[in-house]
PDB file of all heavy atoms in Angstrom:
ATOM      1  N   PHE A 959     -29.539  -1.042  11.285  1.00 99.00           N
ATOM      2  CA  PHE A 959     -28.717  -0.124  10.445  1.00 99.00           C
ATOM      3  C   PHE A 959     -29.695   0.953   9.742  1.00 99.00           C
ATOM      4  O   PHE A 959     -29.311   2.020   9.705  1.00 99.00           O
ATOM      5  CB  PHE A 959     -27.939  -0.911   9.439  1.00 99.00           C
ATOM      6  CG  PHE A 959     -26.563  -1.394   9.972  1.00 99.00           C
ATOM      7  CD1 PHE A 959     -26.492  -2.758  10.244  1.00 99.00           C
ATOM      8  CD2 PHE A 959     -25.592  -0.542  10.179  1.00 99.00           C
ATOM      9  CE1 PHE A 959     -25.226  -3.324  10.810  1.00 99.00           C
ATOM     10  CE2 PHE A 959     -24.384  -1.069  10.739  1.00 99.00           C
ATOM     11  CZ  PHE A 959     -24.134  -2.418  10.981  1.00 99.00           C
ATOM     12  N   GLN A 975     -24.109 -21.988  21.770  1.00 94.00           N
ATOM     13  CA  GLN A 975     -23.804 -20.587  21.268  1.00 94.00           C
ATOM     14  C   GLN A 975     -23.009 -20.632  19.945  1.00 94.00           C
ATOM     15  O   GLN A 975     -22.127 -19.831  19.758  1.00 94.00           O
ATOM     16  CB  GLN A 975     -23.153 -19.769  22.420  1.00 94.00           C
ATOM     17  CG  GLN A 975     -24.019 -19.671  23.589  1.00 94.00           C
ATOM     18  CD  GLN A 975     -23.360 -19.038  24.783  1.00 94.00           C
ATOM     19  OE1 GLN A 975     -22.311 -18.543  24.849  1.00 94.00           O
ATOM     20  NE2 GLN A 975     -24.121 -19.085  26.038  1.00 94.00           N
ATOM     21  N   GLY A 992     -19.698 -19.044  20.461  1.00 96.00           N
ATOM     22  CA  GLY A 992     -18.891 -19.917  21.415  1.00 96.00           C
ATOM     23  C   GLY A 992     -19.268 -19.719  22.861  1.00 96.00           C
ATOM     24  O   GLY A 992     -19.759 -18.720  23.286  1.00 96.00           O
ATOM     25  N   PRO A 996     -17.950 -14.835  30.246  1.00 93.00           N
ATOM     26  CA  PRO A 996     -18.251 -14.477  31.672  1.00 93.00           C
ATOM     27  C   PRO A 996     -19.694 -14.056  31.856  1.00 93.00           C
ATOM     28  O   PRO A 996     -20.238 -14.387  32.865  1.00 93.00           O
ATOM     29  CB  PRO A 996     -17.246 -13.429  31.853  1.00 93.00           C
ATOM     30  CG  PRO A 996     -16.141 -13.631  31.042  1.00 93.00           C
ATOM     31  CD  PRO A 996     -16.659 -14.143  29.732  1.00 93.00           C
ATOM     32  N   GLY A1041     -37.816 -11.230  44.369  1.00 98.00           N
ATOM     33  CA  GLY A1041     -39.190 -11.523  44.791  1.00 98.00           C
ATOM     34  C   GLY A1041     -40.129 -11.747  43.539  1.00 98.00           C
ATOM     35  O   GLY A1041     -41.324 -12.138  43.759  1.00 98.00           O
ATOM     36  N   HIS A1057     -25.754  -1.325  33.551  1.00 98.00           N
ATOM     37  CA  HIS A1057     -24.730  -0.770  32.686  1.00 98.00           C
ATOM     38  C   HIS A1057     -25.357   0.406  31.789  1.00 98.00           C
ATOM     39  O   HIS A1057     -24.583   0.821  30.987  1.00 98.00           O
ATOM     40  CB  HIS A1057     -24.156  -1.920  31.781  1.00 98.00           C
ATOM     41  CG  HIS A1057     -23.427  -2.960  32.440  1.00 98.00           C
ATOM     42  ND1 HIS A1057     -22.143  -2.810  32.899  1.00 98.00           N
ATOM     43  CD2 HIS A1057     -23.747  -4.142  33.001  1.00 98.00           C
ATOM     44  CE1 HIS A1057     -21.689  -3.874  33.416  1.00 98.00           C
ATOM     45  NE2 HIS A1057     -22.701  -4.631  33.602  1.00 98.00           N
ATOM     46  N   VAL A1059     -27.814   0.482  29.697  1.00 98.00           N
ATOM     47  CA  VAL A1059     -28.094   0.158  28.276  1.00 98.00           C
ATOM     48  C   VAL A1059     -29.598  -0.126  28.225  1.00 98.00           C
ATOM     49  O   VAL A1059     -30.100  -1.057  28.899  1.00 98.00           O
ATOM     50  CB  VAL A1059     -27.247  -1.090  27.819  1.00 98.00           C
ATOM     51  CG1 VAL A1059     -27.616  -1.397  26.384  1.00 98.00           C
ATOM     52  CG2 VAL A1059     -25.778  -0.813  27.997  1.00 98.00           C
ATOM     53  N   THR A1065     -38.115 -10.115  20.719  1.00 99.00           N
ATOM     54  CA  THR A1065     -38.874 -10.949  19.839  1.00 99.00           C
ATOM     55  C   THR A1065     -39.062 -12.268  20.428  1.00 99.00           C
ATOM     56  O   THR A1065     -38.147 -12.834  21.130  1.00 99.00           O
ATOM     57  CB  THR A1065     -38.249 -11.036  18.400  1.00 99.00           C
ATOM     58  OG1 THR A1065     -37.050 -12.002  18.404  1.00 99.00           O
ATOM     59  CG2 THR A1065     -37.775  -9.754  17.933  1.00 99.00           C
ATOM     60  N   PRO A1079     -41.549  -1.911  29.724  1.00 98.00           N
ATOM     61  CA  PRO A1079     -42.689  -1.500  28.987  1.00 98.00           C
ATOM     62  C   PRO A1079     -42.321  -0.581  27.717  1.00 98.00           C
ATOM     63  O   PRO A1079     -43.154  -0.441  26.828  1.00 98.00           O
ATOM     64  CB  PRO A1079     -43.622  -0.842  29.935  1.00 98.00           C
ATOM     65  CG  PRO A1079     -42.697  -0.437  31.138  1.00 98.00           C
ATOM     66  CD  PRO A1079     -41.624  -1.414  31.147  1.00 98.00           C
ATOM     67  N   PHE A1134     -35.752 -25.889  41.941  1.00 98.00           N
ATOM     68  CA  PHE A1134     -35.323 -27.007  41.103  1.00 98.00           C
ATOM     69  C   PHE A1134     -36.442 -28.094  41.024  1.00 98.00           C
ATOM     70  O   PHE A1134     -37.327 -28.183  41.846  1.00 98.00           O
ATOM     71  CB  PHE A1134     -34.060 -27.674  41.409  1.00 98.00           C
ATOM     72  CG  PHE A1134     -32.815 -26.802  41.395  1.00 98.00           C
ATOM     73  CD1 PHE A1134     -32.376 -26.127  42.491  1.00 98.00           C
ATOM     74  CD2 PHE A1134     -32.242 -26.628  40.086  1.00 98.00           C
ATOM     75  CE1 PHE A1134     -31.251 -25.250  42.387  1.00 98.00           C
ATOM     76  CE2 PHE A1134     -31.149 -25.731  40.026  1.00 98.00           C
ATOM     77  CZ  PHE A1134     -30.699 -25.128  41.091  1.00 98.00           C
ATOM     78  N   GLY A1158     -31.245 -19.823  47.542  1.00 98.00           N
ATOM     79  CA  GLY A1158     -31.214 -18.417  47.268  1.00 98.00           C
ATOM     80  C   GLY A1158     -29.906 -17.900  47.635  1.00 98.00           C
ATOM     81  O   GLY A1158     -29.148 -18.419  48.363  1.00 98.00           O
ATOM     82  N   THR A1165     -24.476  -7.725  37.971  1.00 98.00           N
ATOM     83  CA  THR A1165     -23.350  -8.468  37.318  1.00 98.00           C
ATOM     84  C   THR A1165     -22.858  -9.672  38.278  1.00 98.00           C
ATOM     85  O   THR A1165     -22.762 -10.840  37.745  1.00 98.00           O
ATOM     86  CB  THR A1165     -22.185  -7.513  37.046  1.00 98.00           C
ATOM     87  OG1 THR A1165     -22.598  -6.451  36.255  1.00 98.00           O
ATOM     88  CG2 THR A1165     -21.001  -8.250  36.363  1.00 98.00           C
ATOM     89  N   SER A1179     -26.667 -28.574  36.815  1.00 96.00           N
ATOM     90  CA  SER A1179     -26.747 -29.339  35.563  1.00 96.00           C
ATOM     91  C   SER A1179     -25.822 -30.485  35.631  1.00 96.00           C
ATOM     92  O   SER A1179     -26.128 -31.628  35.153  1.00 96.00           O
ATOM     93  CB  SER A1179     -26.294 -28.342  34.399  1.00 96.00           C
ATOM     94  OG  SER A1179     -26.217 -29.104  33.222  1.00 96.00           O
TER      95      SER A1179
END
Side-chain angles (χ1 to χ4, degrees):
F959 276 107
Q975 299 172 8
H1057 292 279
V1059 180
T1065 78
F1134 296 98
T1165 299
S1179 179

